[in-house]
Amino acid sequence: MNKILTFFLFLFSAGAFGQPVAYTVANLHSHNDYEKPFPFWEAYNQGFGSIEADIFLQHDNLFIAHDTIQLKMGRTLDSFYLQPLQQCIKKNNGYPYASQNRQLQLLIDIKTDAVPTIARLIEKLKAYPLVTGCPAVKIVITGNRPPATAFNGYPSYIYFDGELYQDYSPEALTRIEMLSDDFKRYSTWNGKGVIPEKERIVLEKLVAKTHGQNKKLRFWNAPDVINSWYKFMKLGVDYINTDHIYSSATFLKQQPDISFTSGYSYKTYTPLYKNDGRAARVKNVILLIGDGTGLAQLYAGYTANRGALNIFNMRYTGLSKTSSFDSYITDSAPGSGAFSSGEKTNNRFVGVDHTGKAMVLLPDILIKRKIKTGIITSGDITDATPADFYAHQSERSSSEAILNDLLQSPVGLLMGEGSKKANPPLLQKLATQFSIVSSVDSVTSDTTKKWLVTEKQAGLSMLQGRGNWAQKAFAKATSILSKNKAGFFLVLEGAQADYGGHENNLPYVVREVMDFDEVVGKAMAFADSNGETLVIVTADHETGGLTLTDGDYAKGYVSGQFSTNDHTAVPVPVFAYGPGAQLFNGIYENTAIFNKILAALSIKK
């Protein structure tokens, strides 16, 4: 899928400095890098913007170590850092990374006397002209440093790490690349929860002061966990100090997929609650299925819509346990099949029980009471969820056979993306019973016809431009079905939050949830308009194991982590609105939703 968020590289220049538009691995500093199993290379291969090496001057050589005990290992700055760096520059035609926009900072922490150690370092660097002559490489001295008044006496390729708490002259600042300090000097925060307000204000002022001097900022001895990385990004800390090379790199590389700030919001419907939860006559049932949409997905949509969701205005709620007959973790086929049949069946089975026998489906039962059924999906019309309400196959991918089953189904309205398996002979057969059109707009108000809408737009994601297709399809379906005196049963699947979950793409998920919720608002308004409609909102399962780890209601910003690219066994919420909604409270098997629908309609199977 095309990414909608472009994360720009962190651009450096010897002069003016601007905060990064967004954080990437270039904002990571590999702290005590020399202690890693493969110094330099681990951080470099992940694309780090800064790498640290502590050095000792001993016997006229520069050894990398944190303390004198480690000196016995005999590892030198040359072999572990300078030689590999020069090798990379040579390979990349004069740049440390293949991209010419990337800079690499080598932070050298001086552990012995500053003046003789730096002098020996400069002598060493004479053997590495590609390093010292590369404008995209910054050699920055920290630890033991000469007086700031002496900074300008060193070669132009040598820069210094300034002390955050000190004030420097304009002359000294020209040789200071960044400002660093011990985080504990300013905050006792351990990385959990939020930074205490007074400490946060202090940190914000330090960041502002540093950036006001056109310098970059780093804290050492700081919390080094996901939550702290979020907080440091919010503060505008330029280099995130980390000992966790792979997890921090993965975290930042995933940011375009796990974070989303919505530029769109909508006003939720204000329910009347006039008939909500009453033991009154139910004529119509609208079942809205958010495929793969668990509570975390819903809350992500709630956050992105700046603290509002139609679904959360429903007062009657429950939890559905989603396991299938043959698996702890269901797929969509038995997941929605439980709603259509009231039975548990095997994964990949559509409309048949675990033995392969065709099951009696809700539309078959309802047609005996002259209640008409319509199905809408923002996916393929032969996908498992819509197929569960009209087909009988033991393999969900048997698209041609599934579509052929529509000929024996009482379903009178099916809208979604057309199946690629719908060959001309099959379409000719379907045309004997259905008016087949390629657009929702082509559906007329003729209630004597059965309609099959195969619209390409239905299969687009919201990020690709599906727009308000689902709302249009819902309005058209309810307009036609509501003319049936005996009532109707309408199933609408928001199919693509599941796709986003499989891709571990939060922007994809969130926009699908928001679109689905807008339809929920339309359904609630419809229910209030006639007083005889029950609206049920649930999911067949959760996809992705989503956990929300950061967010901001005011900005419509949300971020999270996925634990899997597949379904999970987490129970999913059930929401209900209108007469009969009280039946959906509690915790129950997903098959109970079938029975509760019949109970609301006063129908016995």
Side-chain angles (χ1 to χ4, degrees):
M1 190 196 78
N2 292 329
K3 308 298 184 191
I4 62 162
L5 299 178
T6 303
F7 268 49
F8 298 100
L9 294 173
F10 188 14
L11 302 179
F12 297 87
S13 67
F17 165 75
Q19 279 188 252
V21 174
Y23 281 70
T24 72
V25 286
N27 295 98
L28 292 175
H29 170 76
S30 181
H31 175 246
N32 291 346
D33 183 80
Y34 47 87
E35 294 184 337
K36 305 299 185 290
F38 301 98
F40 179 78
W41 289 113
E42 288 185 62
Y44 176 83
N45 288 336
Q46 292 299 318
F48 272 49
S50 181
I51 299 175
E52 176 182 335
D54 290 8
I55 65 169
F56 287 76
L57 174 61
Q58 189 175 78
H59 306 308
D60 205 33
N61 209 342
L62 299 176
F63 295 94
I64 55 170
H66 187 67
D67 49 46
T68 54
I69 296 175
Q70 292 178 322
L71 290 175
K72 296 178 181 180
M73 300 175 68
R75 302 188 301 177
T76 67
L77 179 68
D78 293 74
S79 60
F80 279 81
Y81 288 93
L82 298 181
Q83 291 173 12
L85 179 54
Q86 180 145 293
Q87 176 186 334
C88 293
I89 295 171
K90 185 176 181 180
K91 177 184 176 181
N92 294 313
N93 299 314
Y95 294 89
Y97 286 107
S99 171
Q100 297 181 7
N101 292 324
R102 292 293 310 279
Q103 176 175 316
L104 179 61
Q105 173 177 278
L106 180 60
L107 184 69
I108 300 178
D109 192 336
I110 307 294
K111 294 297 185 182
T112 45
D113 289 344
V115 174
T117 305
I118 297 175
R120 183 60 184 136
L121 173 64
I122 292 170
E123 284 297 314
K124 285 280 186 184
L125 287 170
K126 289 179 180 179
Y128 301 95
L130 293 181
V131 173
T132 58
C134 179
V137 169
K138 288 291 179 69
I139 298 171
V140 181
I141 305 300
T142 190
N144 293 331
R145 282 151 286 188
T149 53
F151 286 176
N152 281 291
Y154 287 92
S156 60
Y157 58 79
I158 295 290
Y159 290 84
F160 293 89
D161 179 20
E163 301 280 9
L164 185 58
Y165 57 85
Q166 287 191 16
D167 290 323
Y168 294 95
S169 67
E171 291 76 19
L173 283 172
T174 63
R175 301 304 297 275
I176 291 175
E177 176 65 14
M178 67 176 181
L179 299 173
S180 299
D181 208 348
D182 182 352
F183 183 77
K184 295 296 188 290
R185 185 189 296 271
Y186 309 101
S187 176
T188 60
W189 184 59
N190 65 359
K192 298 178 181 179
V194 298
I195 302 173
E197 184 178 10
K198 289 183 179 179
E199 297 175 5
R200 176 179 55 77
I201 292 172
V202 169
L203 295 171
E204 287 174 346
K205 288 180 179 179
L206 290 169
V207 172
K209 177 184 176 181
T210 302
H211 290 167
Q213 296 174 313
N214 289 325
K215 301 301 174 186
K216 297 180 283 289
L217 175 66
R218 176 183 71 102
F219 287 113
W220 47 272
N221 195 26
D224 189 16
V225 294
I226 285 179
N227 189 47
S228 66
W229 301 337
Y230 276 120
K231 298 300 185 290
F232 290 143
M233 287 194 297
K234 286 185 177 180
L235 284 170
V237 174
D238 305 289
Y239 282 120
I240 297 175
N241 200 76
T242 183
D243 290 311
H244 307 297
I245 287 178
Y246 294 106
S247 57
S248 62
T250 299
F251 170 77
L252 284 178
K253 288 177 181 178
Q254 289 179 339
Q255 281 302 302
D257 286 340
I258 65 172
S259 298
F260 178 64
T261 300
S262 179
Y264 168 78
S265 63
Y266 57 91
K267 186 176 180 180
T268 56
Y269 172 71
T270 303
L272 301 179
Y273 300 112
K274 185 176 180 181
N275 298 295
D276 193 33
R278 292 179 59 192
R281 178 176 183 262
V282 174
K283 178 180 177 182
N284 311 309
V285 174
I286 299 173
L287 175 60
L288 305 173
I289 304 171
D291 199 330
T293 305
L295 186 58
Q297 285 83 356
L298 293 176
Y299 208 80
Y302 173 80
T303 306
N305 197 42
R306 292 159 175 78
L309 206 66
N310 286 304
I311 294 170
F312 287 174
N313 290 330
M314 292 182 166
R315 295 173 174 175
Y316 293 92
T317 63
L319 283 176
S320 168
K321 294 180 283 185
T322 63
S323 62
S324 64
F325 184 88
D326 67 342
S327 178
Y328 181 64
I329 298 176
T330 190
D331 70 22
S332 293
S336 53
F339 309 149
S340 68
S341 69
E343 295 186 42
K344 296 271 188 181
T345 190
N346 295 343
N347 280 8
R348 306 200 67 81
F349 281 24
V350 172
V352 295
D353 67 15
H354 68 280
T355 70
K357 180 183 177 181
M359 297 185 292
V360 177
L361 307 178
L362 263 177
D364 302 316
I365 297 170
L366 300 181
I367 197 64
K368 295 178 181 178
R369 295 279 294 267
K370 298 183 179 180
I371 298 173
K372 290 188 175 181
T373 296
I375 303 170
I376 302 170
T377 178
S378 56
D380 190 314
I381 57 174
T382 64
D383 279 348
T385 298
D388 271 320
F389 292 88
Y390 68 84
H392 306 278
Q393 299 294 327
S394 57
E395 173 48 59
R396 57 177 291 178
S397 65
S398 301
S399 298
E400 185 176 352
I402 286 171
L403 197 53
N404 191 69
D405 284 346
L406 187 60
L407 293 166
Q408 279 70 51
S409 171
V411 170
L413 177 68
L414 179 58
M415 299 179 176
E417 182 184 26
S419 171
K420 295 179 181 178
K421 298 293 181 68
N423 53 58
L426 178 55
L427 289 174
Q428 288 178 4
K429 290 171 63 177
L430 289 168
T432 63
Q433 293 189 22
F434 290 86
S435 292
I436 304 175
V437 295
S438 59
S439 170
V440 168
D441 295 329
S442 298
V443 178
T444 70
S445 58
D446 188 346
T447 58
T448 63
K449 292 183 177 181
K450 296 175 72 173
W451 293 95
L452 178 58
V453 179
T454 58
E455 188 163 1
K456 185 176 181 180
Q457 186 180 353
L460 299 176
S461 70
M462 290 301 293
L463 298 180
Q464 292 171 330
R466 189 172 71 243
N468 65 347
W469 183 88
Q471 295 179 57
K472 284 174 57 180
F474 176 83
K476 183 72 72 170
T478 51
S479 173
I480 294 172
L481 293 171
S482 60
K483 294 178 180 180
N484 188 49
K485 293 182 180 180
F488 66 83
F489 173 53
L490 176 60
V491 180
L492 182 142
E493 180 201 21
Q496 297 200 41
D498 176 65
Y499 304 174
H502 283 297
E503 290 189 13
N504 285 179
N505 188 304
L506 191 60
Y508 194 165
V509 170
V510 173
R511 282 299 289 119
E512 294 300 325
V513 169
M514 293 172 74
D515 177 62
F516 179 69
D517 185 65
E518 288 198 80
V519 177
V520 172
K522 301 295 183 184
M524 296 173 75
F526 181 87
D528 279 341
S529 71
N530 63 36
E532 298 179 313
T533 299
L534 167 64
V535 180
I536 307 155
V537 182
T538 190
D540 45 2
H541 52 74
E542 192 274 349
T543 303
L546 177 62
T547 300
L548 303 183
T549 49
D550 198 28
D552 188 322
Y553 300 119
K555 296 179 180 178
Y557 158 76
V558 63
S559 186
Q561 299 285 314
F562 292 91
S563 63
T564 178
N565 64 356
D566 208 344
H567 304 168
T568 70
V570 178
V572 295
V574 183
F575 302 86
Y577 181 75
Q582 73 282 0
L583 298 172
F584 293 83
N585 283 347
I587 302 173
Y588 37 80
E589 294 291 341
N590 53 5
T591 51
I593 292 175
F594 168 89
N595 295 309
K596 292 175 184 293
I597 290 172
L598 291 181
L601 291 167
S602 301
I603 296 175
K604 292 184 179 180
K605 184 176 178 181

